[in-house]
Amino acid sequence: AQSVTQPDIHITVSEGASLELRCNYSYGATPYLFWYVQSPGQGLQLLLKYFSGDTLVQGIKGFEAEFKRSQSSFNLRKPSVHWSDAAEYFCAVGRGSQGNLIFGKGTKLSVKP
Amino acid sequence: DAGVIQSPRHEVTEMGQEVTLRCKPISGHNSLFWYRQTMMRGLELLIYFNNNVPIDDSGMPEDRFSAKMPNASFSTLKIQPSEPRDSAVYFCASSPPGGANQPQHFGDGTRLSIL
């Protein structure tokens, strides 16, 4: 069965430090992969997506993610974190022809000054 | 452009009462999704529609929950009767035609508290 694992429930980084959030997926075919961000009291906002082609994808707010088929991973990275990046981040895999997504449990990011 | 619109933003009611959550998807989108988010279970897909037809309702917790999509611009999620364990944030999302490679656009959610 398809699944998405985000191993880190909560991560704290210092402002200006680099960030990597981990995501592993289980899917029988070429996956469609997404990262979303959720700020408190708000819905999820799309950061970036991967369908095919270049395995390094760029997103909004300076985020990027790299698809590694051999590791079944789609980790999210940012070179320098800003305090406004504090939020919860969700990885998701698309399946089926109808657009259904499977979400990971999320990683909460805290940023310390 | 208007995003996905959900109403109400907050709902507090007593157990046993009927609760109706509403969603207006983005114009032109043909898939609509209802999710529930709690601390314990995370983000759960309840049901999704394609072209106003329910495709998968396996995530609906029990018969107390029902969802309808009478037209392309409106959907409701109803809980009757409501119970305290239904307290959660309920999100509606929509996506354009194209299948699994289309991102979902989320509303700001309805925070439901059942007393």
Side-chain angles (χ1 to χ4, degrees):
Chain A
Q2 297 92 343
S3 65
V4 177
T5 302
Q6 294 180 246
D8 304 305
I9 297 174
H10 190 186
I11 284 181
T12 300
V13 300
S14 298
E15 190 168 17
S18 63
L19 170 71
E20 183 168 26
L21 302 182
R22 296 183 291 166
C23 172
N24 293 97
Y25 67 90
S26 172
Y27 190 68
T30 300
Y32 301 125
L33 295 162
F34 305 83
W35 274 100
Y36 285 84
V37 60
Q38 184 181 27
S39 298
Q42 297 186 11
L44 280 69
Q45 179 186 19
L46 179 69
L47 282 176
L48 49 78
K49 57 188 179 183
Y50 170 79
F51 302 147
S52 62
D54 193 349
T55 56
L56 185 64
V57 294
Q58 302 297 321
I60 63 171
K61 304 185 181 185
F63 285 92
E64 65 178 27
E66 186 172 13
F67 169 61
K68 293 185 177 180
R69 184 186 300 276
S70 61
Q71 299 177 17
S72 297
S73 69
F74 188 57
N75 294 349
L76 182 71
R77 300 195 295 249
K78 187 169 185 178
S80 177
V81 170
H82 188 262
W83 65 266
S84 60
D85 293 325
E88 189 154 19
Y89 292 80
F90 293 89
C91 181
V93 60
R95 63 173 183 170
S97 60
Q98 308 296 343
N100 188 16
L101 292 181
I102 300 173
F103 283 87
K105 296 291 187 185
T107 297
K108 184 176 181 179
L109 174 66
S110 297
V111 180
K112 57 183 181 182
Chain B
D1 290 339
V4 175
I5 300 173
Q6 292 186 247
S7 63
R9 286 298 312 276
H10 303 273
E11 175 88 17
V12 181
T13 191
E14 294 186 347
M15 65 177 295
Q17 297 298 306
E18 178 179 293
V19 174
T20 299
L21 310 181
R22 297 172 175 81
C23 175
K24 177 179 171 56
I26 293 173
S27 177
H29 286 194
N30 70 334
S31 293
L32 183 140
F33 307 82
W34 282 102
Y35 291 90
R36 178 172 68 177
Q37 186 178 41
T38 61
M39 290 289 292
M40 291 297 295
R41 301 174 68 94
L43 196 63
E44 303 174 276
L45 177 66
L46 300 177
I47 185 172
Y48 76 95
F49 296 83
N50 186 258
N51 294 323
N52 311 337
V53 176
I55 302 299
D56 183 357
D57 66 354
S58 60
M60 296 286 262
E62 47 197 276
D63 292 345
R64 297 184 297 106
F65 286 68
S66 62
K68 294 182 179 180
M69 192 165 185
N71 57 63
S73 59
F74 184 66
S75 177
T76 60
L77 178 67
K78 187 174 293 187
I79 309 173
Q80 168 63 19
S82 58
E83 296 182 4
R85 60 193 168 117
D86 301 331
S87 298
V89 181
Y90 290 80
F91 288 102
C92 176
S94 68
S95 65
N101 64 356
Q102 295 299 321
Q104 295 180 18
H105 300 254
F106 283 75
D108 285 335
T110 294
R111 183 173 295 275
L112 178 63
S113 297
I114 308 298
L115 307 177

